[in-house]
Amino acid sequence: MSLKHAILGLLDLRPRTGYDLKKAFDDTARHFWAADRSQIYRTLAGLHADGLLEERVIAQRSRPDRHEYRLTDDGRAELQRWLRSPAPVEPSREAFLARIFFAGQADDPEVVRTLAGERRALAHERLDELRALTAHTDTFAGRLRALTLRAGILHLETELRWLDEVEAAL
């Protein structure tokens, strides 16, 4: 998946500003795709230059103008093309697992305990955030979004159980 397609998908739901997109990522999609503000704005500029988005400038009196983006027909077609294309197996890159893998070279179980404890705290924090999200299941699209949220929760619950195994192995 690319950030480009995630943005097209979010804009297909409704027009948004770059700020709105960042909030949407944080509130709805962060369990499977994260993006920082600068990545979002760079990608928006590229999508606009490629004719996949149109931009509407909304003047505001006491604040900077809002730049709202919406899909063009070409943008909607690109999103549909991507949705119908085969999903590639993406290589996994997990810095935390690499640290655990090589932690034996330190020959100090405390290094692993510290890594696992920090990761456990982050997983609990993220799990609380995901459990606080509401998923509306009254439509097909809503049920699919709820299922991706459930996948995020299950991944974190599994990771917490795995961290129990790591700590037990020490």
Side-chain angles (χ1 to χ4, degrees):
M1 181 172 154
S2 69
L3 179 57
K4 165 185 166 178
H5 293 104
I7 287 174
L8 290 173
L10 288 171
L11 290 175
D12 191 44
L13 299 175
R14 69 177 173 83
R16 300 173 196 261
T17 64
Y19 175 85
D20 295 335
L21 280 166
K22 174 62 176 147
K23 185 163 176 28
F25 272 105
D26 290 348
D27 293 346
T28 64
R30 195 168 88 192
H31 56 284
F32 62 86
W33 199 267
D36 65 41
R37 193 167 291 143
S38 63
Q39 291 173 311
I40 290 170
Y41 283 103
R42 275 193 313 273
T43 305
L44 281 170
L47 291 169
H48 184 258
D50 291 343
L52 302 178
L53 302 180
E54 60 183 34
E55 177 182 15
R56 183 175 76 137
V57 178
I58 304 166
Q60 301 187 107
R61 289 185 183 203
S62 61
R63 297 193 306 209
D65 293 345
R66 288 174 46 94
H67 295 258
E68 186 179 79
Y69 298 89
R70 68 182 66 236
L71 292 182
T72 62
D73 289 342
D74 287 346
R76 195 162 282 104
E78 171 57 23
L79 178 61
Q80 290 302 313
R81 183 207 59 76
W82 175 74
L83 287 171
R84 287 169 168 62
S85 67
V89 176
E90 297 178 3
S92 178
R93 292 187 185 125
E94 182 63 55
F96 172 72
L97 289 179
R99 286 180 174 202
I100 296 297
F101 185 88
F102 293 114
Q105 293 171 293
D107 200 26
D108 182 359
E110 195 57 38
V111 170
V112 178
R113 275 191 198 89
T114 299
L115 287 169
E118 290 168 352
R119 184 67 171 224
R120 182 180 299 282
L122 289 171
H124 277 295
E125 180 182 317
R126 187 67 183 128
L127 191 56
D128 290 344
E129 291 171 2
L130 292 183
R131 286 179 174 158
L133 295 176
T134 56
H136 304 285
T137 58
D138 52 338
T139 65
F140 177 65
R143 287 189 297 277
L144 293 177
R145 289 186 199 110
L147 286 168
T148 65
L149 177 59
R150 180 74 182 133
I153 290 169
L154 289 172
H155 281 275
L156 287 165
E157 289 173 345
T158 300
E159 181 169 344
L160 288 167
R161 286 192 301 275
W162 177 80
L163 286 167
D164 290 341
E165 292 179 30
V166 169
E167 291 172 343
L170 303 176

